[in-house]
Structure formats: structure tokens, C-alpha cells
Amino acid sequence: MPGFSRFVAGLTGLLWLGAPSGFAATPAELYQAQTIVTGTGEPNRQIGFKDCLEKVLVRVSGDQRLTQKSEMLALRNKAADFVQSFRYHDRLEGVPIHDEQGTHDRLHDLTCLYKPAVVDKLLAQLGSRPWHGDRQTLAVFLATEQGARHFVLTADEDRGQTMRESFTNATGPLLMRVTFPKARQLAGLDEKALPAADMARLDQLAKNAGAARALAGSIVWSDKELGWIADWRLADRGKTYQWQVRGVSFDEAFRVAVRGAAQILSGNGQP
């Protein structure tokens, strides 16, 4: 649905003009997760349940490290036991079946709903806790370099539209929000000055525009890495955190940015 994606990205850019600095997710929003499965059969449903369990635990806690814990293996094997209810949405809804495979091979969105008490108990078993505070709106200050192309990602320029859409999509699984500056709001920061800009200055620019704080980064295409190298910075509780990912698509680079921000803002430390 590219038209809808462009609408969402445009709306996100407009949030710069009056975005709330934070919002509290409702339990109905927070305690659910979605994944893509092939068809609606039982074997693929069980695979989907395992993926949704990991996603809801990270969504509620903000802690990206949970999926790497050894205890997760046992929980994944019982993933179906923790689902309160689930539903499917055919990703090709309205498109006639055009082959011999039928509906069992069509891609579906599987959404799993969970009781808060069940998820909170699982988090406690994993040594974590729910992140019930406001999900802050982050102003993204991003310097981009691909060969001879150099620019800062802004809300009001055609270039970077696909990146804005991708960044917006990356926020969904963690119920985060991002916004982008208009070119005139960069206060003279270009793609060369931005990576060295003080986080206090960027945070002030973000707050002046209605966001809670700045998420600063640079993303550079590398032929050697066969992908993008992305560096991210976020200041919280008097400390500036930095993290990096190498050799990935810009979609993954932005997912890493959002996951890292959630890790920090939820109080779970270094991404």
C-alpha cells in the first residue's frame, strides 16, 4: 500500500509542527504483536506464535536483549499457551486466487493478543519489567551519504522520501514515534556538521519543535560492506549512548536505530 505509506510518512513529518513530546500506549495497543505467516494452517501458526511471543516481550519491555536469553527457548516452545486470542488478515485480500496452491499458501498477517498479567509475569521470569512510561517522540537528525550524494534527511524535501517512510515503519513494532526537521529548522547544520553536533544542542532543537529529544545519526553506503554503515546517538539521564550497525539495508539500519532508542529510554542500558 505505497499510497498509504506516503500518507503516514507525510503525517509523521507534519508532527514536527505540533507533535506531542510523548504518549502512553494503552494495554490493548501494547500487549499485542504481529507477524507474517504463510497461510492459516496449524504448523505455520505455531511458528507465528513463537515470533509474536518474542515481539510482544520486547514491545512491552523495550529490552532487545530478551530474545538472546537462554530461558527464551523454553518459552518459545510453549508460545501458544500464552496467547489469549489471535486473528488473521489476508495480505492479498481482494486479489483473486490465481494458481493451484489456493489460500493455504497466501501470506497473512497473524496478530496475537495477550493478557497483561501473563506477559508481565513472563518478563519477571526473564529478569525484566514492563515499560509503562510515555513513548517519547524523537526528532531524527540524520546525515546521509551515498557516493556523491550527501544530504540531511528533512521533512519537506523530495529526496529521502523512501527513507522517511522506512523510518516511520520501523517505529511500529515498539510503538515509538519519530519526526523530521524542516530544512529551515536545522539551524545551519549540514551533513558535515551534524555528526559532530553536540547532543545538548540537538535536544534543544528537538524540544523547540515539540519533540521530546533528538535521535542523531549518520548513514553511509559502503561498497566493501555491501550495505549501509549507520551510527546512532541518543542522550538520556546525563549520558550519551552510541551504537552502530554495518552492512545492512537502510530499513534494517532504521530498525536498529529505533530498537536502540527503546532500549535506552526504557532504562535497559546500552544497545
Side-chain angles (χ1 to χ4, degrees):
M1 298 167 52
F4 178 74
S5 296
R6 285 194 292 271
F7 168 76
V8 171
L11 178 61
T12 303
L14 289 174
L15 286 173
W16 184 267
L17 300 178
S21 60
F23 70 102
T26 67
E29 294 170 321
L30 192 58
Y31 289 88
Q32 65 170 273
Q34 186 178 93
T35 192
I36 299 174
V37 295
T38 303
T40 59
E42 180 67 19
N44 286 330
R45 182 184 307 153
Q46 294 301 319
I47 295 172
F49 284 165
K50 292 177 181 180
D51 191 37
C52 281
L53 176 63
E54 290 192 353
K55 287 182 175 180
V56 76
L57 291 172
V58 172
R59 183 185 183 94
V60 173
S61 68
D63 189 351
Q64 315 303 307
R65 296 167 298 190
L66 294 183
T67 60
Q68 306 302 317
K69 291 198 170 186
S70 58
E71 297 92 333
M72 276 301 304
L73 179 60
L75 294 181
R76 281 173 54 85
N77 290 335
K78 299 187 295 182
D81 297 343
F82 309 124
V83 178
Q84 180 183 18
S85 62
F86 64 91
R87 61 176 181 265
Y88 287 105
H89 174 256
D90 187 345
R91 294 175 68 87
L92 295 177
E93 185 177 24
V95 178
I97 298 172
H98 56 275
D99 53 37
E100 298 178 357
Q101 294 174 320
T103 58
H104 67 279
D105 281 330
R106 289 160 70 101
L107 296 180
H108 287 69
D109 293 318
L110 170 64
T111 301
C112 294
L113 308 178
Y114 300 85
K115 291 184 178 180
V118 171
V119 174
D120 291 356
K121 183 177 180 180
L122 292 177
L123 289 176
Q125 292 175 13
L126 293 169
S128 188
R129 64 191 185 284
W131 174 26
H132 285 157
D134 286 354
R135 305 282 166 120
Q136 298 179 341
T137 300
L138 302 176
V140 176
F141 294 86
L142 179 63
T144 302
E145 176 182 337
Q146 185 177 22
R149 297 181 68 221
H150 303 257
F151 63 91
V152 174
L153 189 63
T154 63
D156 53 346
E157 296 177 299
D158 289 339
R159 62 184 180 183
Q161 176 178 315
T162 304
M163 285 188 170
R164 290 193 299 270
E165 293 177 3
S166 176
F167 222 128
T168 301
N169 291 337
T171 65
L174 286 160
L175 291 178
M176 303 283 283
R177 290 180 181 176
V178 293
T179 185
F180 307 94
K182 290 183 175 293
R184 62 178 173 78
Q185 295 170 319
L186 288 172
L189 292 172
D190 60 15
E191 66 274 9
K192 293 182 180 179
L194 183 56
D198 182 68
M199 285 303 301
R201 178 187 180 189
L202 297 180
D203 279 342
Q204 189 58 56
L205 288 175
K207 290 175 182 177
N208 289 346
R213 67 185 69 203
L215 172 60
S218 65
I219 184 168
V220 180
W221 175 261
S222 170
D223 290 332
K224 180 180 179 181
E225 298 280 353
L226 298 178
W228 296 89
I229 299 173
D231 291 276
W232 303 104
R233 293 184 293 150
L234 181 72
D236 184 56
R237 300 175 179 90
K239 178 179 178 179
T240 296
Y241 294 85
Q242 300 183 55
W243 64 106
Q244 184 187 79
V245 64
R246 305 176 66 89
V248 298
S249 66
F250 66 69
D251 294 313
E252 178 62 15
F254 299 154
R255 287 191 287 265
V256 168
V258 174
R259 291 195 295 258
Q263 177 93 7
I264 295 163
L265 296 176
S266 61
N268 286 298
Q270 178 68 40

